[in-house]
Amino acid sequence: MKLCIDIADVAQIRHIYEYFPVDGVSTNPSILAKEGRNPYDVLKEIRSVIGEEGELFVQATAQKAEVMAEESRRIVAELGKTTLVKIPCTPEGFKAMKILHQEGIRFIGTAVYTTMQGWLAAKCGAEYVAPYVNRIDNMGFDGVQVSKDIHDAITGSGYDSYSGLLAASFKNSQQVLELAKYGVKAVTVAPDIIEGLVKNAAIDAAIDQFTADFEGLAGVGNTMATV
């Protein structure tokens, strides 16, 4: 399963990339708006951090298919071929997806709340579809289960040869773990949730005990590199 960061703060992206095995960065208009700068300036900085191989997800903002396609061409021209354009799973969005698929532009279906939205996006050629796990929960449904249902629909239709989930909108690491165990293609999560995947007082206590025991044997400040 691929692990992506759901943020546009370059400093936080750089920090997470330094410590964790991350595969890409996902943004949306609301995330970019928090940075208060020209979106292409921010996105190019992100690209410089993640390199040419890292996948960068950038959303088209128009509501008409032809304009979404126009936006998509510029996004890829500015940010490189490992950039995937996020297209909303609406009728206009599906129309735009068909245009992009014909042109060979990579895209992801976003704003997914139902299984049929995800299935239709995959049928249009989306490399990923992005169910909003926590937002679905807040509507009174089970976001993890809806994500699993989308995964099953894509797999059952044979679209998993090119398409799969980039599940988004998580509130905790348990949701991420459930989808990892289910074999989904990718998730995109906030930095604090990535940190939370291994944040545990028991882990810290064990490491502190190992350090204390070794320093009792070899002297304070020594390691296996210095004894």
Side-chain angles (χ1 to χ4, degrees):
M1 183 181 77
K2 293 183 179 179
L3 176 64
C4 299
I5 315 171
D6 201 26
I7 198 169
D9 184 305
V10 176
Q12 290 196 60
I13 291 169
R14 188 175 286 110
H15 171 76
I16 294 294
Y17 258 77
E18 181 178 359
Y19 290 99
F20 293 91
V22 179
D23 301 289
V25 173
S26 175
T27 68
N28 62 40
S30 298
I31 286 174
L32 287 171
K34 292 178 182 178
E35 300 307 302
R37 296 191 289 138
N38 180 283
Y40 279 107
D41 290 344
V42 175
L43 291 164
K44 287 177 180 178
E45 284 188 35
I46 294 172
R47 172 58 74 196
S48 72
V49 173
I50 70 176
E52 293 302 317
E53 298 304 314
E55 291 185 326
L56 178 59
F57 301 87
V58 180
Q59 189 161 331
T61 60
Q63 295 190 25
K64 291 295 184 180
E66 291 77 12
V67 187
M68 289 184 207
E70 182 181 349
E71 288 180 280
S72 300
R73 296 180 193 110
R74 182 179 175 195
I75 288 168
V76 173
E78 294 271 1
L79 300 168
K81 294 188 179 298
T82 52
T83 305
L84 287 86
V85 185
K86 298 170 75 172
I87 303 293
C89 290
T90 62
E92 288 289 335
F94 296 135
K95 181 179 179 181
M97 291 178 194
K98 292 169 65 178
I99 296 170
L100 298 181
H101 186 58
Q102 288 182 339
E103 296 182 9
I105 294 175
R106 301 171 67 189
F107 62 90
I108 166 177
T110 194
V112 175
Y113 290 85
T114 70
T115 303
M116 288 308 301
Q117 281 181 291
W119 181 80
L120 285 168
K123 187 171 178 60
C124 286
E127 286 190 39
Y128 299 91
V129 298
Y132 290 167
V133 176
N134 194 47
R135 295 189 190 186
I136 295 170
D137 280 358
N138 290 338
M139 294 171 65
F141 301 97
D142 185 336
V144 168
Q145 186 57 54
V146 171
S147 299
K148 291 178 178 180
D149 291 343
I150 297 170
H151 173 84
D152 289 345
I154 291 172
T155 302
S157 298
Y159 301 148
D160 55 319
S161 61
Y162 62 84
S163 188
L165 267 63
L166 177 71
S169 180
F170 291 95
K171 64 182 176 182
N172 58 55
S173 58
Q174 180 60 33
Q175 293 172 319
V176 177
L177 175 60
E178 285 193 51
L179 292 181
K181 289 162 60 178
Y182 205 69
V184 305
K185 187 174 182 178
V187 295
T188 181
V189 299
D192 62 323
I193 292 179
I194 293 179
E195 301 267 13
L197 295 174
V198 292
K199 187 175 183 180
N200 188 307
I203 297 172
D204 295 339
I207 298 301
D208 289 344
Q209 186 63 57
F210 290 146
T211 299
D213 289 345
F214 188 82
E215 289 184 341
L217 171 67
V220 175
N222 277 318
T223 70
M224 289 296 288
T226 59
V227 293

